[in-house]
Amino acid sequence: MSSGPTVAQTQVVNFVLPIVATVVTSFRLYCRARRHLLWIDDAWATCAMLFNITLMVCSALYLRGYEFHAQWQKVALYYTLTQCFYGVVWCSRLSILFTVVRLAYWGTQRRVLVRIGIIFGVVWAILFAQVWWTCESDPSWKKQPRPQCHLGRNVAIAQIVTDVLGDTVLILAPFILIYKATLTTAQRVRVICLFSTSAITTAVSLTHAYYVFTEGQLKEAVSAMFEASVSLIVANLSVVVTFFLRMLADDETISRPPSQSPSIEFEPAGLP
């Protein structure tokens, strides 16, 4: 009975999931570009996609070509793919957050959301640094044939806490949008459901944190690849789903109250 995925199986996951996530992100950017609606949230999605592609390439070299590299190159590959993982996850969260920002009313709502974005950036920086001080505190792992730092309990706890809190914020943020918007009950449910897909990322991240805590080795690698790609796909769902909803009901709109300025229309899924 197999104790975990083989290197070949891990390689399949490493290529398939990022390619799917890249296709979905590219389609999202196409949808926005053709309507001249590219904005900061699309920039964050693009950054997440680039991090995910880099993660895919580094993982392939790390998993399959490690015997051809000098030891310092193996260590550098490990650090790069570890940090690219955080890059994908947090750029994806920032993309979702700024999708909410672009729809929020000017003033207090936007200021609060932008400050949350700054907090997300600080959390990302702390998690980035935590990997370095955890791994450098006991560098013996660098001598392994395939170097892999045991991140341990503290990193697992940090990931669980930040993932749950971050995704909770993203799930609750749409309530700011629908507080004063003129929406039917069905439309309100649609907006909330679209952004609530962040809960999928939470479920995947808990699995990854478990393997970080228990020294999952290739299991940890697969769960990290899965979380990264799922995070990016989820970040694009609001735009992609809106595109297809618009095709089905392009005459249905959700408008802000006429007294608000500037006047912005909400499409069926609550997105421009």
Side-chain angles (χ1 to χ4, degrees), residues 167-212:
D167 291 335
T168 299
V169 169
L170 297 178
I171 292 171
L172 295 179
F175 287 96
I176 296 177
L177 299 181
I178 66 177
Y179 178 65
K180 293 182 179 180
T182 306
L183 309 177
T184 66
T185 300
Q187 290 165 344
R188 290 176 184 273
V189 171
R190 191 181 300 163
V191 173
I192 293 173
C193 286
L194 276 175
F195 285 97
S196 294
T197 51
S198 295
I200 299 173
T201 306
T202 305
V204 176
S205 67
L206 291 176
T207 302
H208 176 230
Y210 168 77
Y211 286 125
V212 170

Side-chain angles (χ1 to χ4, degrees), residues 223-272:
S223 62
M225 296 168 188
F226 200 83
E227 181 181 352
S229 292
V230 168
S231 296
L232 182 52
I233 292 171
V234 166
N236 295 312
L237 283 182
S238 58
V239 178
V240 174
V241 171
T242 297
F243 173 82
F244 289 108
L245 288 175
R246 189 180 298 113
M247 291 178 61
L248 297 174
D250 56 5
D251 60 334
E252 182 184 357
T253 59
I254 305 173
S255 302
R256 294 180 185 271
S259 60
Q260 294 295 329
S261 179
S263 177
I264 301 176
E265 288 189 339
F266 285 70
E267 295 295 339
L271 292 169

Side-chain angles (χ1 to χ4, degrees), residues 62-262:
Y62 176 78
L63 290 168
R64 211 58 180 161
Y66 70 94
E67 64 268 23
F68 304 112
H69 300 301
Q71 194 67 20
W72 70 267
Q73 292 175 318
K74 302 176 192 178
V75 174
L77 279 173
Y78 174 78
Y79 271 131
T80 302
L81 64 89
T82 302
Q83 300 299 356
C84 281
F85 163 76
Y86 281 133
V88 180
V89 171
W90 286 96
C91 282
S92 297
R93 288 196 175 107
L94 285 165
S95 178
I96 296 173
L97 182 66
F98 276 90
T99 297
V100 181
V101 170
R102 75 183 291 170
L103 300 175
Y105 292 96
W106 292 95
T108 303
Q109 290 184 350
R110 281 203 169 191
R111 284 196 296 271
V112 170
L113 291 170
V114 169
R115 286 169 184 170
I116 291 174
I118 294 173
I119 293 173
F120 276 16
V122 171
V123 170
W124 178 11
I126 292 173
L127 293 173
F128 182 98
Q130 186 185 32
V131 170
W132 291 95
W133 74 60
T134 298
C135 294
E136 291 301 317
S137 64
D138 181 14
S140 60
W141 61 274
K142 297 180 181 180
K143 299 178 182 179
Q144 299 172 10
R146 184 186 291 121
Q148 181 174 8
C149 172
H150 174 42
L151 298 175
R153 177 183 177 185
N154 291 337
V155 173
I157 291 174
Q159 288 188 6
I160 291 172
V161 172
T162 55
D163 288 345
V164 171
L165 291 179
D167 291 335
T168 299
V169 169
L170 297 178
I171 292 171
L172 295 179
F175 287 96
I176 296 177
L177 299 181
I178 66 177
Y179 178 65
K180 293 182 179 180
T182 306
L183 309 177
T184 66
T185 300
Q187 290 165 344
R188 290 176 184 273
V189 171
R190 191 181 300 163
V191 173
I192 293 173
C193 286
L194 276 175
F195 285 97
S196 294
T197 51
S198 295
I200 299 173
T201 306
T202 305
V204 176
S205 67
L206 291 176
T207 302
H208 176 230
Y210 168 77
Y211 286 125
V212 170
F213 181 72
T214 58
E215 292 187 270
Q217 298 181 356
L218 287 181
K219 290 181 180 179
E220 178 186 335
V222 170
S223 62
M225 296 168 188
F226 200 83
E227 181 181 352
S229 292
V230 168
S231 296
L232 182 52
I233 292 171
V234 166
N236 295 312
L237 283 182
S238 58
V239 178
V240 174
V241 171
T242 297
F243 173 82
F244 289 108
L245 288 175
R246 189 180 298 113
M247 291 178 61
L248 297 174
D250 56 5
D251 60 334
E252 182 184 357
T253 59
I254 305 173
S255 302
R256 294 180 185 271
S259 60
Q260 294 295 329
S261 179

